[in-house]
Amino acid sequence: MTIKDIAKECGCAIGTVSRVLNNHPDVSDNMRQKVLAIVEKHGFVLNTNARQLKAQDRKNIVIIVKGASSTLLNGLLEKIQKKIENLPYTASVVVLDENDNEGLVATRIYFEQKPLGFIFLGGSPKKLHGDFAKVHVPSVLISNQASSVGSDFLSSVSIDNMKASFTSAEFLVENGHRKIGVIGGALDSEISSTRYEGFLSALISAGVHFDFDKSYEIAKYSFEGGALAAKRLISKNPEITAVFAMSDAMAIGACRAFQDLGYKVPQDISVVGFDGLTISDYFCPRLTTIRQIEEELASEGLNVLLDSIENKAPCCHKIVPFEFIKGESVKKID
């Protein structure tokens, strides 16, 4: 029995189950009782009361996943868990909603459970200030840079998000696109703001104007989020010829929405994604995207953490390569 199984039986999201198990207040009483009834039925052990993890067990690594709907993060989680299975460590997983504060959750877990270290999959460095400064065990943020946090215990491993977004926007401009829309996260998220900055830099370099209010739509990093944002975007700016989406899930959701509205990709609207998910290779049309190499992110992230745990290595902030994939979802226009 896993959190995913509980969510399926309750008919709710994984993030909802996680909030109940972590005693978050923003869950309805009815849903809380429903989840707890399933937990009791199957004898599931809650992390919050430390029965799953003994406080004295200094071999446990806590993996905090920020965003249950992220295919990239779920892929990274699977790879990291498999690697840890062959090591003298255990791993416990906490799944958070995109709006949860991973810094506060990690701080509480640190004092309650005394883990050996933390792995953050996704999340914002902004949430790893404040109370998180009290966490004095090796930690690593994977998929985003954390040098701005200034912690002696927090490392990070990611691609160069700004350069990757610059590359995507540059490719659209080179193919004749000037009226480009963006589907991305809220800009108080560091990863979203960094990708937007890289995108905008490419347009400025090419002398292309970008109207933020008219051409930027905020969405969750999910299929549904991308689809809903695409409909809002095309409604307020029907002249766009291309869309840069900050994740493949957003991009695929947008393609679905455009097709439902009678637009063809790329004949009418070109679309560029971000992440390089396996599904993007089989999507029709094959998605043009930035590929984050999951195996390298997972291996480097775990190696950095273990080097800090086992060898007292100082924190570091590594940039790993990305690949730009020229798929079939971008049309060259005059």
Side-chain angles (χ1 to χ4, degrees):
M1 173 61 62
T2 65
I3 289 180
K4 185 176 181 180
D5 296 326
I6 294 172
K8 184 176 181 180
E9 189 165 341
C10 291
C12 66
I14 295 175
T16 301
V17 176
S18 178
R19 286 194 292 275
V20 173
L21 297 181
N22 287 286
N23 201 28
H24 282 218
D26 54 335
V27 181
S28 69
D29 290 339
N30 287 340
M31 181 55 70
R32 187 181 301 278
Q33 293 304 317
K34 188 174 182 180
V35 171
L36 292 176
I38 299 300
V39 167
E40 183 175 359
K41 173 184 173 183
H42 294 285
F44 186 85
V45 180
L46 284 73
N47 285 339
T48 51
N49 61 17
R51 283 182 290 176
Q52 187 181 35
L53 174 63
K54 295 179 181 178
Q56 292 78 21
D57 182 4
R58 297 292 292 171
K59 289 294 185 180
N60 190 72
I61 295 169
V62 175
I63 306 173
I64 296 181
V65 185
K66 185 72 176 290
S69 61
S70 172
T71 306
L72 173 70
L73 299 185
N74 288 331
L76 288 172
L77 173 62
E78 182 179 357
K79 285 179 169 54
I80 290 171
Q81 285 180 307
K82 286 183 178 179
K83 293 177 185 298
I84 291 177
E85 285 177 0
N86 300 317
L87 300 172
Y89 303 102
T90 59
S92 56
V93 180
V94 177
V95 181
L96 303 180
D97 184 77
E98 286 184 21
N99 297 319
D100 289 335
N101 188 317
E102 61 271 28
L104 289 177
V105 172
T107 303
R108 177 183 55 75
I109 292 173
Y110 170 70
F111 285 107
E112 288 182 358
Q113 303 178 2
K114 306 299 181 185
L116 191 60
F118 286 96
I119 296 175
F120 295 94
L121 299 182
S124 172
K126 293 179 181 179
K127 299 291 179 67
L128 297 175
H129 289 277
D131 286 341
F132 184 74
K134 301 172 186 175
V135 175
H136 290 173
V137 292
S139 305
V140 61
L141 172 61
I142 300 177
S143 81
N144 203 352
Q145 280 292 290
S147 55
S148 62
V149 178
S151 169
D152 292 334
F153 296 91
L154 180 64
S155 298
S156 59
V157 175
S158 76
I159 65 168
D160 187 331
N161 281 284
M162 187 176 294
K163 183 178 179 181
S165 298
F166 185 100
T167 301
S168 296
E170 187 178 48
F171 181 74
L172 287 174
V173 172
E174 288 172 352
N175 279 274
H177 296 279
R178 298 294 183 272
K179 299 175 181 178
I180 306 171
V182 176
I183 297 175
L187 295 185
D188 58 356
S189 160
E190 189 160 330
I191 197 164
S192 298
S193 62
T194 300
R195 290 179 184 178
Y196 174 63
E197 187 177 347
F199 163 85
L200 192 60
S201 295
L203 265 58
I204 292 172
S205 296
V208 177
H209 173 69
F210 182 78
D211 185 334
F212 180 87
D213 292 333
K214 191 177 180 181
S215 302
Y216 192 102
E217 271 298 324
I218 294 174
K220 282 196 170 186
Y221 283 71
S222 66
F223 297 113
E224 182 181 15
L228 293 173
K231 291 177 181 179
R232 295 193 301 269
L233 181 60
I234 203 69
S235 175
K236 68 180 184 181
N237 192 356
E239 296 181 350
I240 59 172
T241 64
V243 169
F244 167 60
M246 291 189 185
S247 76
D248 284 352
M250 287 174 167
I252 292 171
C255 289
R256 176 74 259 178
F258 289 143
Q259 183 172 324
D260 290 345
L261 293 171
Y263 297 89
K264 293 183 179 179
V265 177
Q267 292 90 336
D268 300 317
I269 300 179
S270 295
V271 176
V272 174
F274 201 113
D275 285 339
L277 303 179
T278 301
I279 191 175
S280 66
D281 286 333
Y282 298 94
F283 184 72
C284 188
R286 184 175 290 112
L287 201 60
T288 296
T289 186
I290 294 293
R291 174 165 291 155
Q292 300 199 65
I293 306 170
E294 289 184 8
E295 180 61 36
E296 189 153 5
L297 283 168
S299 295
E300 283 293 334
L302 186 56
N303 287 341
V304 164
L305 181 70
L306 295 181
D307 196 23
S308 294
I309 291 172
E310 297 172 355
N311 303 316
K312 309 299 182 185
C315 68
C316 62
H317 303 283
K318 289 191 173 184
I319 298 293
V320 298
F322 64 83
E323 299 174 352
F324 181 68
I325 307 299
K326 295 181 181 180
E328 304 164 340
S329 60
V330 173
K331 176 186 176 182
K332 186 176 181 64
I333 61 175
D334 297 326

